[in-house]
């Protein structure tokens, strides 16, 4: 893996309004909010910035996150994540994404959950 | 609807590699390629630029398109589109998207297909 010290910063967007189909009434206990809280406690690398967003509009396949980072990287949307099992997956995926110049982590190096739960990818503005 | 003459340009990205689950061998006959070709013949408004992309990674729900347009607009991914029935839907949705400053077309004004087949939305960089 290349030296990442001068990489363009990455945003890890987490949909905090996601209910993951559950009848949750307390907004702070929504699965999306819990996922965001768990990631805020996790060891994300420098240069990966966690950001809460309201509704990524992928409600049927939540929880969802987005990885994006500057005009040269592809943006990725990942789905079917949860706050208890998938924190390590997201940290690993975000770390590897951050280490790329174009956002494309080689297929075999991606976490298995990311391989199987990509909702969409969007080309970089610079492409 | 507001005067759109000075709106930031919009990109309409079409995944041209989409097979929509069909056993198509000729790349030029892939549903995604046909969708792109049909949109190239359609009456898109000035300021909406059609662009072919390879794989939006939403293969199970194809065909797929993306609408994006500058740092102030939300990006939207729409799915389950086809080249015969949905050209008018895409033109209508793209036209209304282009007329917004932030990419958010009021819910009731969105084409019904767009309401029911949004794969994801991604916040603007300027948010």
């Amino acid at each position: 893996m290349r030296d990442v010290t001068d990489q363009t910063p990455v945003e890890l967007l987490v949909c905090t309004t996601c209910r993951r189909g559950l009848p949750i009434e307390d907004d702070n206990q929504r699965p999306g909010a819990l996922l965001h809280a768990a990631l805020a406690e996790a060891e994300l690398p420098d240069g990966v910035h966690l950001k809460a967003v309201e509704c990524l509009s992928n409600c049927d396949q939540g929880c969802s996150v987005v990885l994006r980072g500057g005009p040269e990287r592809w943006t990725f949307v990942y789905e079917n994540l949860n706050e208890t099992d998938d924190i390590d997956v997201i940290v690993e995926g975000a770390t590897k994404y951050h280490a790329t110049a174009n956002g494309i982590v080689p297929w075999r190096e991606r976490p298995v959950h990311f391989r199987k739960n990509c909702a969409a990818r969007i080309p970089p503005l610079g492409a």
Side-chain angles (χ1 to χ4, degrees), chain A:
Chain A
M1 197 172 286
R2 80 181 66 191
D3 178 2
V4 299
T5 51
D6 61 354
Q7 293 291 332
T8 305
V10 162
E11 284 185 308
L12 171 60
L13 310 179
V14 180
C15 173
T16 55
T17 49
C18 185
R19 286 196 171 94
R20 205 168 59 236
L22 300 171
I24 308 290
E25 295 195 6
D26 179 349
D27 286 351
N28 293 323
Q29 294 301 312
R30 290 189 185 211
L34 297 177
L35 178 61
H36 180 267
L39 287 167
E41 296 295 318
E43 293 266 346
L44 288 167
D46 289 345
V48 175
H49 304 292
L50 182 66
K51 186 173 176 181
V53 297
E54 283 199 11
C55 195
L56 292 169
S57 210
N58 183 35
C59 313
D60 290 343
Q61 304 294 332
C63 295
S64 304
V65 303
V66 170
L67 284 168
R68 68 177 175 187
E72 303 301 327
R73 283 195 185 93
W74 286 75
T75 294
F76 285 82
V77 186
Y78 294 108
E79 62 193 10
N80 295 317
L81 295 158
N82 80 60
E83 67 278 11
T84 49
D85 301 329
D86 297 324
I87 303 304
D88 289 350
V89 162
I90 297 170
V91 170
E92 179 191 350
T95 301
K96 289 178 173 174
Y97 179 86
H98 179 250
T100 69
N102 65 359
I104 309 285
V105 177
W107 180 258
R108 288 170 184 272
E109 295 176 22
R110 294 182 204 179
V112 172
H113 186 94
F114 274 22
R115 288 187 221 162
K116 296 183 176 177
N117 292 275
C118 181
R121 66 173 201 165
I122 298 166
L125 292 171

